[in-house]
Amino acid sequence: MNARQTQNGRVALALVTVVAAMVGLSFAAVPLYRIFCEVTGYVGTPNLDVAEVPTQVSDRVITVQFDANTNGGLQWKFKPSQRQVTVKLGEPNLAFYTAENLSEKTVTGTATFNVTPYKVGQYFSKIDCFCFTEQTLAPGQEVPMPVEFFVDPEIFNDPNTREVKTITLSYTFFRSGTGTKDAGDDKSAALTKIDTGKI
Amino acid sequence: MANDAAANHDDHHDHTPTGAARWLCSTNHKDIGTLYLAIAIISSVVGGAMSWYIRLELTYPGIQYIDDFQFYNVLVTAHGFIMVFFVVMPALIGGFGNWFVPLMIGAPDMAFPRMNNISFWLLAAALILLVVSALVDGGPGTGWTVYPPLSDINYHPGAAVDFGILALHLAGASSILGAINLIVTILNMRTPGMTMHRMPLFCWAMLVTAFLLLLAIPVLAGGLTMLLTDRNFGTAFFDSGAGGDPLLWQHLFWFFGHPEVYIIIIPAFGIISQVVSTFSNKPIFGYLGMAYAMSAIGVVGFVVWAHHMFTSGLSVDARAYFTTATMIIAVPTGVKIFSWMATMWGGSIKLEVPMLFAVGFIFLFVVGGVTGVTLANSSADLAMHDTYFVVAHFHMVMGVAAVLAMFCGFYYWIGKMSGREYPRFLAKLHFWLFFIGVNVLFIPQHFSGLAGMPRRIPDYPDNYWGWNYVSSIGTAITVAGTLVFFLVLWRTLTAGKPTEANPWGEGAKTLEWTVPSPAPFHTHEYPPNMDEPAPAE
């Protein structure tokens, strides 16, 4: 192999490494996006990484409202048990949602969540909640779902978020991807839509 | 020059392979370039037929020909994939890139001739898989953007989308290997004396394009693999219910998808620079500006992807950023347009057929490009997203401008590739029919789009009829032009007058014009000398 071929090989190896790095980065996008949102609170991502509850409870108060949604395919009644609470900054609080399975099959769901306004995401800390854990409900079963949270007193020291008086915590329950949904139903429904060709 | 003539008289290389050895197992950059051009021409008929069928249905309101709407969606999807991956990319990068990069830099072939061959055959296999995907289980009716959940297993059960994913994997592999080949060739195999700042702008264009391919296609591959495992192996990258997010696909796809459109247009820029310089008998104005404008477009093109996602729920800050970054790309692009104009200014202009296509490119690329700047405004895009205004925009820049550049390259280089002249009258007829046809086709679509007509629909409310009808007339004129092109191709290859090494005169200063026409099987077996001090064009 002459010098030209060796040099060609070296450049080619460097380029293959670049390709591998880009593939790796696209898979790494999954955790990277999540970490970015959690660290910065971007788009209202609440702070789940709570090392400790703050010892100082401020006298300032803020209102937290609770919102509940279900995604279309889930036949559950999902509501907050209280529409809102007024809490002191730094004080841990417990709130409840209830979920009732209105269908005739056992169904598993998981919830996603965020807070609005988006900019307070990093100051809203959830100590414990039912997010992302699968909840399985038998037909007709109703369960309470607790959320333990606090609002970081720093929210008042940040000039960007100082004026916020109300935070809304919103959950959406989806039919779980690994649940006992009847895949056959979904498939045949989809195929019917395709075959009839109707808009 | 003289060295090449002497080398060609040597006897030791007189056994040009024939038959299967020549065409299945090629390691020759010219033959592989020809194979890519052939696949592009064949695919253009298939992709074109699909669009003509779509336009046939859209001529009148109501459904006349296509009452299976899944089939309609499959036509839209296949048309897009075929045109992007099997017509424009093979023609510009695989075809003209392979043919002329080694010739222009004085190299005997590409750096990795056997890998060059597998790049081509991977593409052929990809085309087969794409055709199969359209024929099984109802086909992939997702659009070329393949968004989940529509592309996920619940809404496209069956194997069609999976075949499509595998087709794209192969096409992507083909492009990545081709990009590696181009980069190594351009960086390492320029003839002595040809520094980077003396190589032709077409080679700069191919270098920038190859880097874009290298960085963007792997991200598509990652996303495609995630979709494949979501569909078949129980992962949940894009399924909200299981902790994933459909938005992840959009980010990954468009992180690839935006550089992809620059991958399509930058080789076209390279061809236009060569042709404008040749037929103005002047070096390109501002060579360094042109080279670095292409590089800047490539770099900035990587940080604007979410302008395809303005309606997906991005925060206002994100939309503000992407609006600004996208509009910034107009600056280096403008540098190129003005440089071409400055090249022509004061030049001795010959309106030969390649120059007609080049001037047509410059004008229509600007028209198409400015509608892109309009769409870059996220607030306005809320009304224009997924309307025919977007369809009009990308067809003007890709379906019109890039195709004009492809024809420009064809007319400029067909003499070198085949040794024969094209028939001038038919070629001009082709130009005018095509130019008029595509304008009648696509300009009215701007109006339908602004009036609110959505894209990817087989039927529309009656009030959109007028411009749709005009657009379909444009299709007919374009088809006529395309038929004339096939006549030109056939007449050139079968009955064209033999042409000389350099039919274009003193304006053609790059190295491919120093070898005979048709170019011999082996060229530049000894590196040509570069001792004249004139700058490269």
Side-chain angles (χ1 to χ4, degrees), chain A residues 40-175:
Chain A
T40 62
Y42 198 67
V43 203
T45 307
N47 185 0
L48 293 183
D49 181 25
V50 185
E52 65 211 25
V53 178
T55 47
Q56 286 221 304
V57 175
S58 156
D59 276 336
R60 294 203 170 88
V61 293
I62 197 163
T63 304
V64 178
Q65 292 183 336
F66 299 94
D67 171 62
N69 308 280
T70 49
N71 172 265
L74 188 66
Q75 285 175 292
W76 285 13
K77 191 163 99 174
F78 177 54
K79 293 177 3 168
S81 304
Q82 64 289 303
R83 186 47 72 183
Q84 66 181 47
V85 291
T86 305
V87 301
K88 294 202 177 104
L89 299 182
E91 173 189 70
N93 275 276
L94 192 62
F96 283 90
Y97 284 76
T98 56
E100 183 185 344
N101 183 356
L102 298 174
S103 77
E104 315 221 313
K105 299 193 181 58
T106 303
V107 177
T108 307
T110 46
T112 63
F113 56 89
N114 76 349
V115 293
T116 49
Y118 288 156
K119 59 188 178 180
V120 305
Q122 58 200 136
Y123 296 117
F124 189 92
S125 301
K126 291 202 282 178
I127 302 165
D128 199 16
C129 82
F130 54 88
C131 8
F132 285 135
T133 49
E134 289 181 349
Q135 311 290 325
T136 305
L137 296 185
Q141 183 185 7
E142 180 178 345
V143 295
M145 294 180 177
V147 181
E148 195 177 356
F149 67 91
F150 66 89
V151 181
D152 193 330
E154 282 301 305
I155 198 177
F156 192 73
N157 297 334
D158 181 345
N160 198 26
T161 54
R162 163 181 305 206
E163 44 83 23
V164 175
K165 303 270 184 301
T166 309
I167 297 176
T168 307
L169 173 65
S170 172
Y171 280 88
T172 306
F173 250 106
F174 292 82
R175 207 161 198 183

Side-chain angles (χ1 to χ4, degrees), chain B residues 59-83:
Chain B
T59 311
Y60 294 101
I63 297 296
Q64 292 85 38
Y65 305 100
I66 308 176
D67 57 6
D68 176 356
F69 296 158
Q70 172 69 10
F71 176 65
Y72 182 86
N73 289 343
V74 170
L75 274 182
V76 167
T77 308
H79 164 72
F81 277 133
I82 288 178
M83 291 310 207

Side-chain angles (χ1 to χ4, degrees), chain B residues 279-531:
Chain B
F279 296 100
S280 309
N281 199 7
K282 263 176 91 192
I284 279 283
F285 178 92
Y287 170 92
L288 274 182
M290 289 297 242
Y292 288 103
M294 286 192 285
S295 311
I297 291 170
V299 168
V300 180
F302 266 101
V303 294
V304 297
W305 75 92
H307 65 229
H308 300 273
M309 296 167 57
F310 280 145
T311 58
S312 66
L314 301 176
S315 69
V316 66
D317 292 329
R319 280 179 273 142
Y321 161 74
F322 281 106
T323 295
T324 314
T326 306
M327 294 181 85
I328 284 175
I329 297 193
V331 175
T333 314
V335 166
K336 295 191 73 65
I337 302 288
F338 290 131
S339 297
W340 286 317
M341 289 162 60
T343 306
M344 292 188 273
W345 184 270
S348 166
I349 309 243
K350 281 197 267 182
L351 279 178
E352 297 277 359
V353 176
M355 189 61 162
L356 287 179
F357 279 95
V359 173
F361 172 93
I362 294 170
F363 176 58
L364 290 179
F365 182 74
V366 171
V367 171
V370 295
T371 58
V373 177
T374 312
L375 286 164
N377 289 283
S378 54
S379 337
D381 185 62
L382 293 183
M384 297 188 289
H385 178 73
D386 269 350
T387 65
Y388 258 81
F389 192 82
V390 178
V391 175
H393 160 68
F394 65 69
H395 278 102
M396 284 303 272
V397 282
M398 293 199 296
V400 175
V403 174
L404 286 174
M406 280 159 55
F407 286 134
C408 177
F410 169 84
Y411 286 110
Y412 187 51
W413 281 316
I414 186 66
K416 182 60 54 188
M417 294 190 281
S418 69
R420 294 172 178 274
E421 270 182 32
Y422 54 80
R424 300 257 305 280
F425 172 75
L426 280 179
K428 289 188 188 171
L429 180 64
H430 166 221
F431 171 75
W432 286 109
L433 278 175
F434 186 81
F435 185 86
I436 292 170
V438 293
N439 277 301
V440 177
L441 219 189
F442 291 117
I443 301 281
Q445 292 184 1
H446 295 91
F447 309 137
S448 321
L450 287 177
M453 180 181 171
R455 62 185 283 202
R456 292 173 167 163
I457 52 174
D459 189 14
Y460 47 80
D462 287 356
N463 60 296
Y464 293 123
W465 173 51
W467 293 124
N468 272 289
Y469 186 73
V470 175
S471 180
S472 295
I473 305 272
T475 309
I477 303 173
T478 308
V479 171
T482 310
L483 290 174
V484 174
F485 169 71
F486 282 108
L487 190 56
V488 168
L489 182 63
W490 177 66
R491 291 286 298 167
T492 306
L493 294 180
T494 58
K497 248 174 54 184
T499 188
E500 70 247 71
N502 180 6
W504 302 128
E506 51 176 356
K509 293 197 160 63
T510 40
L511 284 173
E512 76 267 32
W513 306 110
T514 65
V515 305
S517 296
F521 195 68
H522 288 141
T523 42
H524 297 321
E525 288 179 302
Y526 297 95
N529 64 45
M530 282 286 299
D531 49 24

Side-chain angles (χ1 to χ4, degrees), chain A residues 4-5 7-9 11-12 14-16 18-20 22-23 25-30 33 42-43 109-112 118 132 174-178 181 183 186-187 190-191 193-199, chain B residues 67-70 111-112 153-155 157 176 179-180 183-184 187-189 211 214-216 218-219 221-223 225-226 234 237 239-243 248 251-252 255 302 305 313 315 317-318 458-459:
Chain A
R4 159 67 46 240
Q5 288 171 311
Q7 187 53 15
N8 284 358
V11 178
L15 298 177
V16 168
V18 170
V19 171
M22 291 306 286
V23 176
L25 269 179
S26 27
F27 280 95
V30 180
Y33 267 96
Y42 198 67
V43 203
T110 46
T112 63
Y118 288 156
F132 285 135
F174 292 82
R175 207 161 198 183
S176 171
T178 57
K181 75 179 163 194
D186 287 328
K187 251 192 242 190
L191 275 174
K193 286 198 192 69
I194 291 169
D195 286 340
T196 57
K198 298 277 180 283
I199 295 179
Chain B
D67 57 6
D68 176 356
F69 296 158
Q70 172 69 10
F112 302 110
I153 197 70
N154 283 334
Y155 295 99
I176 289 176
I180 292 176
I183 293 173
V184 177
L187 290 184
N188 281 5
M189 291 172 67
F211 271 108
L214 203 75
L215 295 168
V219 178
T225 307
M226 293 179 199
F237 289 102
D239 177 3
S240 300
L248 177 66
H251 281 289
L252 290 174
F255 190 85
F302 266 101
W305 75 92
S315 69
D317 292 329
D459 189 14

